[in-house]
Amino acid sequence: EAGVAQSPRYKIIEKRQSVAFWCNPISGHATLYWYQQILGQGPKLLIQFQNNGVVDDSQLPKDRFSAERLKGVDSTLKIQPAKLEDSAVYLCASSPLGQGRTNEKLFFGSGTQLSVL
Amino acid sequence: QKEVEQNSGPLSVPEGAIASLNCTYSDRGSQSFFWYRQYSGKSPELIMSIYSNGDKEDGRFTAQLNKASQYVSLLIRDSQPSDSATYLCAVNMDLSGGGNKLTFGTGTQLKVEL
């Protein structure tokens, strides 16, 4: 079974530039998550999709971050413009269960390490 | 108060000893609890889940849950150097609009020394 695919693996940009990350979840997984993990901290949920609808985006800085999940499969996360404090690993994860049920297990991708200079 | 709290460590234990990792959570209605292991530079991977009060054992790992105290722990018996990693406590919390989300603690770094 193929895992969660993410690209790029690394990205270095200057502040005020824009950047986009891509995620392809495990086939058939209904729920997709984007987490931000700053060095030394636990993953922080940015946005959670159920199929192509947003379940939770309460911690997404909407003035600069945006995300979409077209057709309920692939997803992209964009930052525009980037700030120094956005330097982190951006993890995409997927789960097979639907909304309202316990998230039994999240399958994580390798992550994208973003450095903002 | 943070939603999920852990001591950041590092927690150092000698090889063969028992490592005890602790976590407290704020949402009294939470029903599902997980321990993820994260090696340096890698993504988190699930090692244990627990839903009922008491103990759950899986090999060298035992998860313990006390909902009244809002406390969950992970015991690692016969610790090995390969267990050296950051252990993330994760709690499933209900969303006000329906559904649930997984909230992680900051993680405890475990070092198993030879």
Side-chain angles (χ1 to χ4, degrees):
Chain A
E1 178 182 69
V4 176
Q6 284 189 252
S7 67
R9 186 71 179 90
Y10 304 94
K11 190 73 177 179
I12 300 173
I13 62 173
E14 294 186 349
K15 59 183 179 182
R16 291 187 290 273
Q17 286 187 322
S18 62
V19 64
F21 312 127
W22 173 82
C23 174
N24 187 5
I26 293 173
S27 178
H29 280 197
T31 311
L32 184 147
Y33 315 78
W34 283 102
Y35 282 89
Q36 179 194 58
Q37 187 171 27
I38 293 172
L39 187 64
Q41 298 182 19
K44 182 182 85 170
L45 180 66
L46 293 177
I47 189 166
Q48 178 177 336
F49 291 96
Q50 176 67 31
N51 296 312
N52 60 350
V54 176
V55 173
D56 180 66
D57 63 357
S58 57
Q59 298 189 96
L60 186 73
K62 298 180 185 63
D63 58 334
R64 299 185 301 105
F65 286 64
S66 64
E68 60 181 7
R69 189 184 184 194
L70 298 176
K71 301 180 181 179
V73 182
D74 291 9
S75 176
T76 56
L77 175 70
K78 297 179 181 178
I79 308 174
Q80 183 180 12
K83 292 185 175 181
L84 296 177
E85 59 260 36
D86 298 332
S87 294
V89 175
Y90 291 83
L91 295 164
C92 179
S94 69
S95 169
L97 299 182
Q99 184 176 352
R101 299 181 61 189
T102 298
N103 291 313
E104 180 69 19
K105 179 178 180 179
L106 265 60
F107 296 79
F108 283 89
S110 327
T112 296
Q113 185 171 330
L114 174 67
S115 297
V116 182
L117 306 178
Chain B
Q1 181 188 8
K2 292 183 179 178
E3 294 178 300
V4 181
E5 292 204 55
Q6 297 180 254
N7 288 325
S8 59
L11 172 65
S12 294
V13 299
E15 184 178 5
I18 296 175
S20 178
L21 306 164
N22 305 315
C23 170
T24 58
Y25 58 94
S26 61
D27 182 2
R28 186 169 289 279
S30 297
Q31 298 294 323
S32 313
F33 308 87
F34 306 89
W35 284 98
Y36 281 77
R37 177 176 62 198
Q38 186 172 27
Y39 291 113
S40 180
K42 301 296 185 182
S43 297
E45 56 176 335
L46 181 68
I47 55 171
M48 287 289 286
S49 58
I50 187 166
Y51 307 99
S52 304
N53 280 330
D55 295 359
K56 179 182 177 182
E57 186 175 317
D58 184 1
R60 296 186 296 111
F61 299 96
T62 299
Q64 299 175 319
L65 175 61
N66 183 327
K67 290 184 180 179
S69 300
Q70 295 175 241
Y71 175 91
V72 59
S73 65
L74 179 70
L75 300 178
I76 306 175
R77 291 182 299 280
D78 189 23
S79 295
Q80 301 297 310
S82 59
D83 294 326
S84 297
T86 295
Y87 289 81
L88 299 163
C89 174
V91 178
N92 219 12
M93 299 183 174
D94 290 336
L95 295 170
S96 57
N100 46 69
K101 71 174 184 180
L102 198 62
T103 299
F104 286 85
T106 55
T108 298
Q109 185 182 4
L110 173 67
K111 293 184 178 180
V112 180
E113 299 169 333
L114 295 172

